[in-house]
Each structure stands twice: as structure tokens, then as C-alpha cells.
């Protein structure tokens, strides 16, 4: 039975509004979505991601063992160097997305809320005789995101994962409230999601379904290393890479700003020329309100949808930008 996670103590901050699935347990916003977005874009504030799962892998063979399981090349991952990786099914479909950093003794990773338990079970099943120790650290550590350009100092006992998009801190849960008090303003998950959509970055469970392969989302290169050895699902990765024909592709959409309603996850995408009763060619994965761009979205559409074709998201007009080349 999945563990019931306690709500973040930062939901007691002024103006905090709880987030909905898949981000239950933390704040969606603190009363001013666009102000929070602008703060993050300017390198100020932080985002409480304490609902995400945290797993550690330690032991002398941790990197060589992880290398056998992941889509990423990690055998010589330098301490402090951040990377991301996927775990695929035998058919090459995405099952888990991991965001990693190694501190020289332990590999730290965070994953989607609730995914730590099935991920932990899979890792334990693949342990065999390797000298590794796997632990669910979610009860002890919270993830906090600092935007790119932030000058906030990480506590000495935090593990830092730094990328071009900012820093993820693995912070002892007892330090969450003192950290928030010293490093505001707090921004909610909706602000971070809007910036994620703007950056065309996929997220497990939103941009993925049971048959998604990495090529459809642009995860080749960032999370999938094409020159490494065997891992589960590699045959599909190699075949689709060589043929160059993933069945679907991720697109970025500018939605009609006159619409009050944002199309939800799963909303159908059609050609505008066919009208709202036309054949469905894809679906909305994430929609957001951006402080500069207005209503925007990511969507997964069939590969052969013309790249310049005006689209409809439900009944909302949408102009597309290419994320993954057809």
C-alpha cells in the first residue's frame, strides 16, 4: 500500500493554496502566480518540492551498477555533476525518470511524487550480487528548487544538484522551514510548471503515457546516451534513432489568449481546419499561464501532423512550435 505522505509545513505560509495532482502536498501558489513566476525568472526565491521522492544508492559499485540499468552513461559520473536518466521497459517505453547527482560516496536521485516506491522495488529486484545499498530517503530529505541565477546559499548538510535550469537541494526535512524563512519569496509549483513548459522540458506522467518512447519527447541526448552499452529497451532506442521515425512528437503551443479556460491534461488536439469534431491527432500534456507568453501548453501529436498547421486544443485555437522534429 502506498505510503501516505504528510503535507509540507510550508503550506502554512501566508497565501498558500494547495496544489492538485500530481503535486499534492505542496503549494500550487502563494497568492500571486505571475509575481512568483517573475521572481523565479529573475533568479529569486525557491520552490518547495518536498513531495518528490528521494532515493540514494551507495556502495563501491553503485555507478557501474546504475550504468547497467539506466539510459544515461554514469560509470564515470564526477562528484557534483548533475545528470538525468530514464528506466525503460523491454519494449523501450518510459517507466521512470530520475534526476541524479553523486557526492563521491552516494548517488542521490529524486523522482516524481509516489514513483519512489515502484522505482525502489525495481532497483532492489536488480541488485543481485552487486555491492550496493539502496534506500528510500523521502521521509528524511526534502527537495527544494532554486532558480538559475539564485545567490541563495545551500546549507552545509544539503546535497546540491546544479543544472542550467537551477539547483535542486536535497535538504534535511527539519531544515525546510528555516531555509524558507531565510530564502524567500516562496513560489508554487504552478510557477515552476509554467517555466518548464516554456523551456519545452517533459515530465514523467504528464508528457508520458504507457507507450511513450524517449525520442517523442526530446529526451535523446539529455537523458539517453546513444553510445553506451546494453540496457533494457536499448533495441527500441537504437532502431527508432536509426530510422528517425518516432510515432509521435512533442510540440509547444501558444493558446488563444482570449480563452479563460485552459485545456486540461488529456484534452484532444485536432487540426483547426477540421473543427472541434475532427479527428483527434494528439492530446494536451501540460497547459499553463505564463507571465509573458500568456496561455501556453505542451502536447503530444502524431508525427505526420504538418509543423505549420494551426491546431485546436479542445475548442481553443493553438499555434505550434516544433520541439521534436518530425
Amino acid at each position: 500500500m502506498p505510503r501516505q505522505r504528510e503535507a509540507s509545513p510550508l503550506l502554512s505560509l501566508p497565501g498558500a493554496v494547495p496544489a492538485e495532482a500530481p503535486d499534492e502536498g505542496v503549494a500550487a501558489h502563494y497568492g500571486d502566480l505571475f509575481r512568483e513566476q517573475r521572481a523565479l525568472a529573475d533568479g529569486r526565491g525557491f520552490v518547495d518540492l518536498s513531495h518528490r521522492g528521494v532515493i540514494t544508492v551507495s556502495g563501491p559499485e553503485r555507478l557501474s551498477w546504475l550504468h547497467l540499468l539506466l539510459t544515461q552513461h554514469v560509470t564515470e559520473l564526477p562528484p557534483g555533476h548533475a545528470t538525468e536518466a530514464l528506466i525503460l521497459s523491454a519494449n523501450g517505453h518510459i517507466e521512470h525518470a530520475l534526476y541524479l547527482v553523486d557526492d563521491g560516496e552516494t548517488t542521490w536521485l529524486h523522482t516524481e511524487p509516489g514513483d519512489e516506491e515502484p522505482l525502489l522495488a525495481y532497483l532492489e529486484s536488480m541488485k543481485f550480487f552487486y555491492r550496493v545499498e539502496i534506500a528510500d530517503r523521502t521521509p528524511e530529505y526534502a527537495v527544494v528548487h532554486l532558480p538559475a541565477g539564485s545567490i541563495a546559499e545551500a546549507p552545509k548538510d544539503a546535497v546540491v544538484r546544479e543544472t542550467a535550469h537551477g539547483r535542486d537541494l536535497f535538504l534535511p526535512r527539519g531544515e525546510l522551514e528555516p531555509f524558507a524563512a531565510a530564502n524567500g519569496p516562496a513560489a508554487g509549483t504552478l510557477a515552476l510548471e509554467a517555466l518548464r513548459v516554456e523551456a519545452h522540458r517533459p515530465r514523467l506522467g504528464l508528457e508520458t503515457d504507457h507507450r511513450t518512447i524517449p525520442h517523442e519527447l526530446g529526451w535523446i541526448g539529455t537523458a539517453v546516451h546513444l553510445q553506451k552499452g546494453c540496457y533494457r529497451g536499448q533495441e527500441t532506442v537504437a532502431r527508432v534513432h536509426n530510422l528517425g521515425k518516432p510515432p509521435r512528437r512533442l510540440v509547444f503551443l501558444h493558446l488563444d489568449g482570449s480563452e479563460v479556460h485552459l485545456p486540461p491534461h488529456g484534452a484532444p488536439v485536432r487540426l483547426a481546419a477540421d473543427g472541434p469534431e475532427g479527428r483527434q491527432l494528439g492530446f494536451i500534456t501540460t497547459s499553463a499561464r505564463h507571465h509573458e507568453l500568456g496561455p501556453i501548453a505542451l502536447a503530444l501529436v502524431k508525427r505526420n501532423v504538418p509543423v505549420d498547421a494551426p491546431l485546436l486544443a479542445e475548442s481553443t485555437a493553438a499555434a505550434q512550435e516544433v520541439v521534436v522534429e518530425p
Side-chain angles (χ1 to χ4, degrees), residues 125-148:
S125 74
M126 300 301 293
K127 190 174 176 181
F128 302 118
F129 299 107
Y130 287 91
R131 293 179 293 166
V132 295
E133 295 296 330
I134 310 159
D136 181 0
R137 307 299 293 276
T138 311
E140 305 161 60
Y141 282 84
V143 179
V144 174
H145 176 76
L146 295 172

Side-chain angles (χ1 to χ4, degrees), residues 71 86 88 91-94 200 202 207-208 211-226 231-251 299-301 303 322-326:
T71 57
L86 307 173
L88 307 180
N91 293 323
H93 301 140
I94 299 169
H200 308 164
E207 276 63 56
T208 67
R211 58 192 180 98
T212 306
I213 59 175
H215 313 69
E216 298 176 325
L217 304 183
W219 251 327
I220 300 295
T222 60
V224 178
H225 194 290
L226 292 173
Y231 55 88
R232 191 174 69 175
Q234 184 194 21
E235 294 83 359
T236 298
V237 169
R239 182 173 65 253
V240 176
H241 178 72
N242 291 330
L243 294 176
K245 294 182 179 181
R248 302 177 296 182
R249 60 185 180 89
L250 189 69
V251 297
L300 202 57
V301 301
R303 179 177 58 85
V322 174
V323 176
V324 174
E325 293 286 348

Side-chain angles (χ1 to χ4, degrees), residues 13 36 41 88 93 97 153 187 198 203 214 218 249 301:
L13 292 178
E36 295 165 29
L88 307 180
H93 301 140
E153 292 188 8
E198 177 192 18
R203 182 176 173 186
R249 60 185 180 89
V301 301

